[in-house]
Every structure is written in C-alpha cells, then in structure tokens.
Amino acid sequence: MGVLEESQSGLVPLPESARAFSHWAISQVVKPGEQVIDATAGNGYDTLFLAKQVGELGRVFSFDVQQLALTRTREKLEEQALDGRCQLILDSHEHLARYVQAPVAACMFNLGYLPAGDRAVKTLWPSTQKAIVSTLSLLRPGGRVSICAYPGHTEGRQEAEALTKWLKTLKEAEYTALHLVFANQTENAPQWFLIERK
Ligand SMILES: C[S@@+](CC[C@H](N)C(=O)[O-])C[C@H]1O[C@@H](n2cnc3c(N)ncnc32)[C@H](O)[C@@H]1O
C-alpha cells in the first residue's frame, strides 16, 4: 500500500484509496531529519510509515486519545526498531501545539474510529478543526497536511462536509487545498483532502 510503484509494464498506476493517496502525497515532501505529526495514531500504520520517511534523525509525534491505540502503535514500531524516533502522546490532537514546535513538514489525519476497537470513540469536527488550525501554524513552507475522512458513519459524514466547507476559507495565496472523491464508488467511500502551505 502507499507510495506509487512502477508496475511490470513500466506504467505508474494511480493510488486506489484515500490512504494510498495520503502516503503518496506525504512521501513527496518529507525529508530525512524533519519533524512530522500523526494526529490519529490508531493501529500505527501511518506512524510506522512516517517513521520511515523521517529517518534516524527525524521525529514523529503521534497522538491518540486511546491507550490501546498507542500500545498497538508502539508494538509496530518496536518490531522494526523505529520506536526511538517517535513520541507517542496520549492526548487529543487539538492540544498538539503543547507538544510540538515549528517547523513541521507534514501531518496526517486518518479520521474516525479505531479499527478493531471501541467505535464510540471517534474524531469529531470541532476538535479536528482545532487540530488542523494548530498544525497549519507549525507547517513549514511546502509542508502538507493530509486528511482521510470516512463519510460512511454519521459523525464522519458531518466531518467531511464541515471540512469541505471550511477549506474554502483558506486563503489561496497561502495554501493549495484539494478534495478528492472517488467519483465511481459509493457516496460512503473514504474521501481525501490535502492542504499544502505555499
Ligand atoms: C482510523 S483510526 C487511525 C488509523 C491510524 N492512522 C493507522 O494508521 O492505523 C482513528 C483514530 O483516531 C483516534 N482519535 C479519536 N479522537 C481523537 C482525538 N481527538 N485526538 C487524537 N486521536 C483521536 C481514535 O482513537 C482512533 O484510534
């Protein structure tokens, strides 16, 4: 999954999911030694991906409100001896500026609930919005914020709709903002958003 790979034919196919688009977009801008954020650690796949991107001298700050998510994330990192470059923080991402200082090269939001976990604990637009605003204040020029949203459940749909609306308020002179919908999938299919600081 993830970054675009050349197929046997020599052609490079498009990413087939919102998450694959997110890894593709983030891999393009993160340089070894930089600081990045995983705003929703969950099962640790994105933190693991980010840990590889920043290299030995980089730093990943990963947030989640559930200890179970951070435990699963730590296990994944330890398996590959990448835990030393990651700080796992049991707090809501709306408080991320308490832990992270500029400059940040990238931030990933994978919204919703923890797969194989408590579905009642899920991201909600008011705190998601605060976290995105905080991240933008830390982002270096050329840095990116990627957001995967899941309109298949009520709060997820509200989040995706609110985010779509809010992105229109970002100044074009300062940010490039994208919203990707898979037009030939169901309306519940995950959507992907990207903000790049100019
Ligand atoms: C879809 S999962 C993330 C998947 C993860 N990035 C991965 O690679 O496995 C969403 C996570 O967001 C977490 N979450 C919900 N509200 C949060 C908040 N306010 N701050 C940080 N994390 C939150 C949930 O506990 C859940 O683990």
Side-chain angles (χ1 to χ4, degrees), residues 19 39-46 64 66 92-93 110-111 113 123:
R19 290 193 73 187
T40 53
N43 285 323
Y45 294 103
D46 294 324
D64 208 291
Q66 298 189 76
S92 172
H93 43 218
N110 195 342
L111 302 177
Y113 51 80
T123 57

Side-chain angles (χ1 to χ4, degrees), residues 2-4 20-31 49-50 53 106 108 144:
V3 183
L4 291 187
F21 264 102
S22 74
H23 284 213
W24 165 72
I26 297 301
S27 68
Q28 291 179 329
V29 294
V30 177
K31 292 176 284 191
F49 160 77
L50 288 169
Q53 300 298 306
M108 298 179 76
R144 292 180 176 176

Side-chain angles (χ1 to χ4, degrees), residues 160-182:
E161 287 173 358
L163 177 59
T164 304
K165 231 181 193 175
W166 179 77
L167 283 179
K168 294 184 197 305
T169 68
L170 287 182
K171 288 201 178 86
E172 192 183 336
E174 293 174 26
Y175 299 101
T176 301
L178 305 180
H179 176 191
L180 183 140
V181 177
F182 288 87

